[in-house]
Amino acid sequence: MVWHTVANRTDLTEGRGWPVRVDGRRIAVFVVGDGVYAVDNCCGHIGAPIDDGAVEDGCVTCPWHGWTYDLATGEQLITVGRRAGLRTYPALVEGDDVLVEISGD
């Protein structure tokens, strides 16, 4: 597992996604309260970018069709059967750097 610096803390705005590309993966990084979260930047419905979604109560809602995901777990919260959650990645702020950990899978 490798930690990647993906942004400066000042780049991120509370409740708004920040799109990054790490090892060929599209990832969205969010700051909510004291937490920083990283998830695949691709809604499980039809692949819409999730970084533009509205953030409320630790969840992000896809701007295209309203699927909602828990940022901490990636769980999809709206659709019957709860299909297609988002992959999550460990994330942290170290000094001014925002880091995301990517496993070698």
Side-chain angles (χ1 to χ4, degrees):
M1 291 186 230
V2 178
W3 286 94
H4 298 268
T5 301
V6 296
N8 186 289
R9 174 59 183 96
T10 59
D11 294 332
L12 303 177
T13 302
E14 172 87 20
R16 296 209 23 97
W18 182 262
V20 298
R21 198 172 273 277
V22 180
D23 284 349
R25 300 171 199 229
R26 292 178 20 215
I27 297 174
V29 180
F30 296 86
V31 172
V32 179
D34 292 332
V36 61
Y37 304 95
V39 298
D40 278 338
N41 192 14
C42 187
C43 179
H45 180 208
I46 59 169
I50 204 79
D51 64 282
D52 284 334
V55 177
E56 186 175 345
D57 297 327
C59 296
V60 61
T61 300
C62 177
W64 287 14
H65 298 106
W67 282 31
T68 299
Y69 300 90
D70 183 301
L71 287 170
T73 66
E75 181 182 7
Q76 197 269 116
L77 302 173
I78 297 297
T79 304
V80 175
R82 305 255 169 108
R83 302 172 297 159
L86 297 175
R87 181 174 182 173
T88 61
Y89 303 88
L92 59 86
V93 176
E94 188 173 89
D96 288 334
D97 294 329
V98 178
L99 298 109
V100 173
E101 185 181 45
I102 304 294
S103 64
D105 60 359

